[in-house]
Amino acid sequence: MKRSILTELKKERPKDISKACRILKTSKSAFIYQSVKDDSYLENQLLELSSAHHSRRVFGSIILG
């Protein structure tokens, strides 16, 4: 939610980002950071596993114990 607020503010008033980050108690560097790693392989593997084991009953019993 904070990221979306900061993104909108950056479009309207780019000079006020530092002040907005202070108000929202978010570091400016965390807002600006862009990851350079490619996790697409991992994402695809997780999607395949989740589609193979999509039973909600089993998933819920594992999480809820």
Side-chain angles (χ1 to χ4, degrees):
M1 179 157 174
K2 289 180 182 181
R3 182 170 286 281
S4 62
I5 292 170
L6 290 170
T7 303
E8 286 297 316
L9 182 65
K10 186 176 179 182
K11 289 177 189 174
E12 295 177 23
R13 301 181 73 167
K15 293 182 180 180
D16 293 338
I17 291 299
S18 295
K19 185 175 182 178
C21 287
R22 281 194 307 271
I23 292 170
L24 294 173
K25 297 181 180 175
T26 304
S27 70
K28 186 177 174 184
S29 60
F31 171 66
I32 293 172
Y33 175 76
Q34 296 270 330
S35 177
V36 293
K37 62 182 179 179
D38 181 20
D39 288 335
S40 59
Y41 174 76
L42 179 61
E43 290 172 1
N44 290 333
Q45 292 296 316
L46 289 171
L47 286 172
E48 286 179 23
L49 283 172
S50 65
S51 64
H53 303 286
H54 66 278
S55 174
R56 286 182 178 222
R57 184 174 178 189
V58 172
F59 183 74
S61 66
I62 293 171
I63 290 179
L64 299 176

